[in-house]
Every structure is written in C-alpha cells, then in structure tokens.
Amino acid sequence: LNCAGTLTGAVADARAALAVLTGRSFEADSIAGVRIGFTEDYGFAPVEPEVRAAFREAVAAIEAGDVALARAEPPALSPLGFMIPMLECEVYDAFADVLERGDHGLSPETVAVAEIGNATTGRAYFRALGERLEFEARWREFFAGCDVLLAPTTQVTAFELGRCGPDAIDGHEIDPTADGSWYPTSFIANVIGAAAISIPIGPTAGGLPLGLQVLGPNGTDATVLAVAEELERLLPPVSRAA
C-alpha cells in the first residue's frame, strides 16, 4: 500500500520528477473532453466544515474558469475494514528487523501496529486482500464513466503536534489512536492503485494549508497531471502563514 512520491512546488516540477523516476515522458496535454467529477466526502466520510467550504470555493473557481465539472457518486465505501490488517502486516514487515533492538527509536504507536501485524494470520490477510480486490473492481466501474475525480485531500485541517488524531470530525466521534480513522479517504488512491496528485487550496482562517486531490485510474498519470496543471492555473495562489 505504500508508494514513493514527490513533493514539489508546482505541477510542472512533479511532471519532471515523475519522468526522471519512470524514464517516461509526461508532456502537458489538453484536457478537452476529459470527464471531471467531484465529491466532497466520497459519500461516506465526515469532513471538517472548513475543509468542505474551501473545497466548494475551489470547485466554484474551477467552474468559473470554464472547466466543466459534474457531481460524482464514487463507491460510498470506506477501505479501512480491509486496509488496516494489510497495513499492519506491512508495518511489521518494514520494521521486523529493528524491533528486536531496544534502541529502534520507533514510537509506541508504530510498535503497537507492528505487533498486531505480526499476530495477523495468513487467513485474515488473504481475506483482506480479497476485499481489496472487490473494492478496486467497484472503482474500475466508477471510472468507466468518469475520467478524473476531484476531492478534498484530507478530511481535517492540521491538528496539534503530538496528537495521534482528532477525537471527532464534524460532530462524528472517532478513535484518534486507530490508524487511519481520521483519513480513510486519503488511502483510496493507494488501495486502488490510482494516479493521484494533491494541489494546494485554502489556506484556513488560521493559515493552515489545505489540499485538493486529483485522482484517475491506474496508468492515467499524464491526464491527472494535465488536469492538475489546469486547476493550478485557475485557482488563486495560496498564501502561506509565516
């Protein structure tokens, strides 16, 4: 589920970095004819009001720039049920060698997740894998009628350093210590192998950054980059708090 990505100051730089990493060319292209949908919450996720408001403003700015958007209805399914067991196994696999050392420097939360992964049975893992494949199939059906999907990158704004996560999102209580509980929507791209990029919107009233995610089916990196670059042109520059 983990993947390597780049953090750049502009979409053009992300395109250049991807070209270097893959050895392929990702030239800028027209987005004429690209079917672009948008969703505020994927039909299942609570979203902080300030995030939702900033996303709506971004959608309005994009539509004002003569880019046609359509409200989309992606699979209203959270990936957490099958994703967490898979992620726990991956965490254990990543840190198994260093966990035997007392000076590993890992946080207690990471150690706890790795220990659960170590105890996960093969049967439980393969059950989760089967559920992931079913989830991916639902998303393939969705992308048959939508080329690119726009959504908030995360459901919440940044919270205080040291906290595992918020206690609630828009009045919906969540367990802040449960891995992924406050950002299941951010896992969807990883779970389905989507081409995805996040571009800045916002900021919040307190100067915190927000993001808009652009997702496309696996292998549509060039289209996703082209759409993101057009949105980058249409959206107002994001000021950053000092």
Side-chain angles (χ1 to χ4, degrees):
L1 295 174
N2 292 318
C3 67
T6 58
L7 182 64
T8 65
V11 177
D13 295 336
R15 179 186 291 106
L18 188 62
V20 171
L21 290 170
T22 63
R24 295 166 51 198
S25 176
F26 295 91
E27 297 299 325
D29 199 2
S30 169
I31 66 169
V34 176
R35 299 168 298 176
I36 306 175
F38 69 93
T39 178
E40 295 179 4
D41 53 17
Y42 293 88
F44 75 87
V47 176
E48 193 172 286
E50 195 167 18
V51 174
R52 196 182 290 271
F55 181 74
R56 287 176 179 174
E57 290 180 8
V59 166
I62 294 165
E63 291 179 323
D66 290 331
V67 173
L69 303 180
R71 189 174 296 275
E73 295 184 2
L77 302 168
S78 171
L80 288 182
F82 63 82
M83 191 217 69
I84 293 301
M86 296 179 67
L87 184 62
E88 290 165 343
C89 291
E90 287 193 10
V91 171
Y92 174 72
D93 181 65
F95 297 116
D97 293 339
V98 300
L99 282 170
E100 298 177 359
R101 305 200 310 261
D103 62 343
H104 52 65
L106 300 175
S107 70
E109 292 80 12
T110 300
V111 173
V113 170
E115 289 176 345
I116 295 173
N118 185 30
T120 300
T121 66
R123 182 181 182 186
Y125 181 85
F126 278 101
R127 185 183 300 116
L129 180 60
E131 292 177 9
R132 188 200 72 79
L133 292 173
E134 292 177 9
F135 185 90
E136 185 180 7
R138 292 284 299 276
W139 273 87
R140 278 200 303 272
E141 293 174 2
F142 167 75
F143 277 126
C146 178
D147 298 317
V148 167
L149 180 67
L150 311 183
T153 302
T154 59
Q155 299 158 231
V156 299
T157 56
F159 41 82
E160 296 85 354
L161 183 65
R163 291 182 63 188
C164 293
D167 300 317
I169 301 176
D170 193 26
H172 297 265
E173 293 185 3
I174 60 172
D175 179 1
T177 64
D179 196 22
S181 62
W182 56 270
Y183 56 103
T185 59
S186 298
F187 282 122
I188 291 174
N190 301 63
V191 167
I192 66 175
I197 186 172
S198 177
I199 60 176
I201 59 174
T204 68
L208 296 173
L210 296 170
L212 180 152
Q213 188 168 220
V214 184
L215 297 92
N218 188 290
T220 61
D221 304 77
T223 300
V224 167
L225 286 166
V227 170
E229 195 154 45
E230 179 65 13
L231 303 190
E232 183 181 59
R233 184 184 68 82
L234 294 174
L235 293 171
V238 175
S239 60
R240 294 172 175 80

